[in-house]
Amino acid sequence: KGQFGLGIFYALLAGALWGVAPLFLKKGMIHSDVGTATLVQQCANVLTLIGIGAVEGEMFGVELPSRALWSFIGAGVAGGSLGKIFYNKGIDEVGASKAISIKNSDPIVTVLLLMLVLGERVTFPVAVGVGLIVTGIWVLTRMDSRIGQGQGGRSSLIDPFVSVIFYGITPVFKKMGLSAAVLPTLDALIT
């Protein structure tokens, strides 16, 4: 039970940090552009993870199977690079609240791929959760009075939806990699 509680705490902490990050990103892009924002984010990620990996001992003397390495690289290309670029463009085009709401529909893609690629079964609670996500996205795109009227319109939503595809693929790669080598910090660094 203690390990489960710690996992829930880490998930809530991650959610809080991911919730605050788009605000800083949108504020920074007022004085910059998407490319610079993405580059600075990636550099900050790498430096932070090198420090954490060194402290946790995952940086040196560990055996990393090639399957894990290539899975982590796939996750990095999909979510860490391409997903991040389209997500950042979405924040720039439609704002942080709308882009993050759309981006958070990535579990739909993940669940479908986990079923198709890794043969996982979908439980009732997961199916309900995916249904709620779909409903939320539908409401978000229908309720905005600016839809179809220039900036913030339906065509501006393309980039956040493309990010969903890349972010949705990422956990599949991560699961394949972590099943070959349980090295979460090294996984995040390679990603």
Side-chain angles (χ1 to χ4, degrees):
K1 185 170 180 165
Q3 199 68 337
F4 179 75
L6 188 59
I8 295 294
F9 169 75
Y10 286 148
L12 290 172
L13 180 61
L17 293 171
W18 282 329
V20 172
L23 303 175
F24 289 110
L25 186 60
K26 181 66 176 173
K27 186 172 179 110
M29 281 196 292
I30 292 170
H31 308 289
S32 186
D33 59 38
V34 172
T36 303
T38 304
L39 179 62
V40 170
Q41 279 181 298
Q42 300 296 62
C43 290
N45 289 346
V46 167
L47 293 174
T48 302
L49 290 167
I50 286 173
I52 292 170
V55 168
E56 290 184 351
E58 287 188 26
M59 293 296 297
F60 309 103
V62 296
E63 186 175 322
L64 184 64
S66 64
R67 179 176 181 206
L69 175 66
W70 286 108
S71 295
F72 298 155
I73 289 171
V77 169
S81 296
L82 297 173
K84 189 174 292 292
I85 289 168
F86 285 102
Y87 171 65
N88 289 350
K89 286 175 135 186
I91 288 175
D92 191 42
E93 293 168 356
V94 298
S97 63
K98 190 176 288 184
I100 190 78
S101 297
I102 292 169
K103 182 262 174 225
N104 284 340
S105 67
D106 62 356
I108 298 167
V109 174
T110 302
V111 167
L112 291 173
L113 288 174
L114 288 173
M115 287 173 28
L116 296 171
V117 176
L118 300 179
E120 287 196 9
R121 290 183 21 170
V122 175
T123 63
F124 179 73
V126 170
V128 169
V130 168
L132 290 171
I133 292 168
V134 170
T135 302
I137 296 302
W138 182 82
V139 168
L140 176 72
T141 58
R142 298 286 183 239
M143 297 301 290
D144 190 341
S145 63
R146 294 176 298 159
I147 294 294
Q149 298 176 7
Q151 184 168 3
R154 192 165 283 147
S155 64
S156 298
L157 298 176
I158 291 171
D159 287 327
F161 277 113
V162 171
S163 80
V164 167
I165 295 166
F166 289 115
Y167 278 122
I169 293 168
T170 300
V172 177
F173 282 119
K174 285 180 168 279
K175 181 165 182 162
M176 291 187 307
L178 289 170
S179 69
V182 182
L183 299 165
T185 304
L186 190 57
D187 159 25
L189 178 61
I190 293 169
T191 299

